[in-house]
Amino acid sequence: MNRRDLPPSLAAEILAPTLQPFLALRIEFPDPVYAFTGKGAMSFASVDGAMRQWLGIHGVASIGAATESTDGSAQGIEATLFQIPSEFRNDIADQAVRGCLYELYLGAFAPDFQTVRAVKRIWKGTLQSYVIDDLGESITVTAGGESRAIDQKRPSIKRFTDEYHRRKYANDKFFEYAPKLTEVPLLWAKQKQDPVV
């Protein structure tokens, strides 16, 4: 990501003499997590346009590099949130659902550290792993995610057979005659057509 990818408001904040940045994490658990690196609560709209209330975790965060392999394919990302109050440990552990929506936002506060001046989603994918380090009074959570680009490298387990299709749709006969289609003769246009025997 470079400055050309940023909205003008966020680019202006980054170039300003002072910057109050924050990192926000959205994970759509059954009880969703909307957290940011700061104190108190704030509101801003995520990419889907919905205004959400984001709670401060009072700690700081780090984002692992979104690396690429030598063939240019994406490898995923990890975000770590530090100094999360320990009372959230069970909520996070009980609800972690692999494959749920996972987004990272970068933003800038006004000097009051509550008003959001600019924000941009910097990564979107699905949650694939999480690690909780219990430090007593606080916990550290590392959430690993993968983008759709990684899913494209995985082989599909779907099979276009009658048996596979009927496991999902018991009464649907869509693929029942698919194997016989390979035995159907094709008639190509020519001057004289021979009758099909």
Side-chain angles (χ1 to χ4, degrees):
M1 181 171 64
N2 56 44
R3 276 206 331 238
R4 289 178 299 181
D5 300 325
L6 298 176
S9 56
L10 186 55
E13 289 295 321
I14 290 172
L15 294 174
T18 59
L19 175 66
Q20 292 87 21
F22 68 87
L23 178 68
L25 178 73
R26 174 188 177 194
I27 303 178
E28 286 294 332
F29 290 150
D31 183 14
V33 172
Y34 310 124
F36 73 97
T37 53
K39 295 181 179 180
M42 66 170 181
S43 296
F44 70 84
S46 50
V47 172
D48 59 10
M51 187 63 74
R52 291 187 165 83
Q53 181 87 3
W54 303 74
L55 297 177
I57 60 167
H58 300 258
V60 294
S62 69
I63 304 175
T67 58
E68 291 185 352
S69 63
T70 54
D71 64 357
S73 59
Q75 298 297 308
I77 196 169
E78 279 192 346
T80 302
L81 301 178
F82 302 98
Q83 301 171 6
I84 301 173
S86 58
E87 64 256 23
F88 294 114
R89 184 190 197 291
N90 290 338
D91 290 337
I92 295 171
D94 292 344
Q95 294 190 71
V97 177
R98 189 170 182 247
C100 65
L101 178 66
Y102 176 17
E103 293 179 334
L104 291 171
Y105 290 84
L106 175 66
F109 286 123
D112 64 1
F113 286 96
Q114 292 300 313
T115 306
V116 177
R117 283 192 168 164
V119 68
K120 176 177 175 61
R121 182 178 69 189
I122 57 174
W123 190 84
K124 177 185 177 184
T126 57
L127 182 72
Q128 297 298 320
S129 64
Y130 74 98
V131 176
I132 299 175
D133 292 325
D134 197 338
L135 307 173
E137 293 184 1
S138 67
I139 60 174
T140 295
V141 176
T142 301
E146 294 181 352
S147 68
R148 291 182 63 193
I150 293 178
D151 287 337
Q152 293 174 356
K153 296 191 321 184
R154 291 192 178 100
S156 174
I157 60 167
K158 286 185 178 179
R159 299 291 177 256
F160 297 105
T161 63
D162 186 47
E163 294 79 15
Y164 182 86
H165 188 70
R166 293 245 185 154
R167 276 188 251 150
K168 293 183 82 175
Y169 310 102
N171 297 322
D172 191 343
K173 299 182 177 184
F174 184 80
F175 285 104
E176 183 176 356
Y177 302 103
K180 294 197 178 289
L181 289 176
T182 59
E183 302 168 11
V184 174
L186 295 177
L187 296 178
W188 295 97
K190 55 184 180 179
Q191 287 182 348
K192 183 178 178 185
Q193 297 284 352
D194 296 324
V196 178
V197 180

